[in-house]
């Protein structure tokens, strides 16, 4: 993976480097040939390519004396606040949650089976044994070895209970009850608050360097082409300017 990233980084670097070298070569050639057209094309192409490269660089690095440089790290808190606002105001709104719950397959996509499988139902069996021992069957049970006689039923009881809970959780009646409960105003507000807290906790784990790396990786994927097109359009403008002057 690191090798692939390094290769992509080299490709972006080569695009920028080749563009700048070609533009610089045109400048030198135009100067040596004393050709105003070639010199203009080279100068404008070089200025366009370098300007685009510097502009992208200044997004992530603070350059002394250049106001506005290093905007991504310096606006770190605003960046986090923007993500939080986007998540809560665009995705996890009351309307969107309600729409999800109203969809036919909304709640049916929630599979509670893995959760139920992890539940320890041993206390439930112990409570059942205690209830039987304290009931009118307690005396009769003592004639057959007491509560120890029921211990072989523990595992079958737990398996049967989990199977029954899974079937219940997958039923339409359960989904409808769950939907009605979640759609209660106080429950919906509490759900949104919990989601907001989760989003905030995750965003608090971000550091300025992490944000810089995320945005930089996205933008630098196309950095080479920005430099190339800067050089191309700069060269065309230089050509037009030279022709007008000529």
């Amino acid at each position: 993976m690191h090798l692939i990233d390094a290769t992509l980084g080299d490709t972006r670097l080569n695009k920028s480097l080749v563009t700048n070298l070609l533009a610089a070569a045109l400048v030198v050639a135009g100067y040596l040939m004393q050709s105003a057209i070639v010199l203009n094309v080279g100068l404008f192409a070089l200025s366009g390519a370098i300007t685009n490269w510097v502009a992208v660089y200044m997004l992530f690095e603070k350059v002394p004396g250049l106001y506005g440089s290093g905007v991504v790290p310096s606006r770190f808190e605003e960046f986090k606040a923007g993500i939080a606002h986007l998540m809560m105001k665009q995705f996890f709104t009351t309307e969107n949650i309600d729409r999800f719950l109203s969809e036919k397959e909304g709640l049916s996509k929630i599979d509670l089976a893995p959760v139920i499988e992890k539940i320890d139902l041993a206390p439930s069996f112990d409570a059942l044994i205690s209830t039987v021992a304290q009931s009118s069957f307690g005396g009769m049970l003592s004639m057959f070895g007491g509560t120890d006689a029921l211990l072989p039923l523990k595992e079958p009881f737990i398996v049967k209970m989990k199977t029954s809970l899974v079937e219940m959780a997958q039923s339409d009646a359960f989904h409808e009850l769950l939907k009605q409960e979640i759609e209660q105003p106080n429950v919906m507000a509490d759900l949104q608050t919990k989601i907001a807290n989760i989003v905030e906790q995750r965003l608090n784990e971000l550091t300025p360097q992490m944000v810089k790396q995320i945005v930089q990786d996205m933008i630098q994927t196309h950095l080479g082409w920005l430099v190339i097109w800067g050089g191309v359009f700069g060269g065309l403008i230089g050509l037009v300017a030279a022709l007008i002057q000529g």
Side-chain angles (χ1 to χ4, degrees), residues 123-142:
S124 300
F125 181 79
D126 294 339
L128 175 63
I129 295 297
S130 177
T131 301
V132 172
Q134 295 174 12
S135 69
S136 57
F137 293 97
M140 185 183 302
L141 186 62
S142 62

Side-chain angles (χ1 to χ4, degrees), residues 5-117:
D5 291 340
T7 303
L8 291 175
D10 290 342
T11 302
R12 292 193 294 266
L13 178 61
N14 289 340
K15 287 179 181 178
S16 304
L17 182 60
V18 169
T19 303
N20 287 320
L21 288 177
L22 287 175
L26 286 175
V27 173
V28 174
Y31 176 77
L32 294 176
M33 296 166 53
Q34 296 185 347
S35 171
I37 293 179
V38 176
L39 181 61
N40 260 23
V41 171
L43 286 173
F44 276 77
L46 186 60
S47 65
I50 290 179
T51 298
N52 279 3
W53 180 82
V54 171
V56 175
Y57 177 82
M58 286 173 57
L59 282 174
F60 310 102
E61 303 297 338
K62 183 70 176 176
V63 180
L66 293 182
Y67 177 77
S69 60
V71 64
V72 172
S74 65
R75 300 293 183 179
F76 173 63
E77 293 301 326
E78 294 180 23
F79 180 83
K80 290 201 306 181
I83 294 179
H85 182 272
L86 176 67
M87 296 292 289
M88 299 310 302
K89 299 301 181 182
Q90 298 296 326
F91 294 102
F92 296 108
T93 62
T94 302
E95 293 77 12
N96 286 341
I97 296 175
D98 185 65
R99 188 182 302 114
F100 169 76
L101 296 176
S102 299
E103 290 178 355
K104 184 177 180 180
E105 297 182 354
L107 286 174
S108 63
K109 294 180 180 179
I110 301 177
D111 186 11
L112 297 179
V115 178
I116 294 174
E117 287 297 328

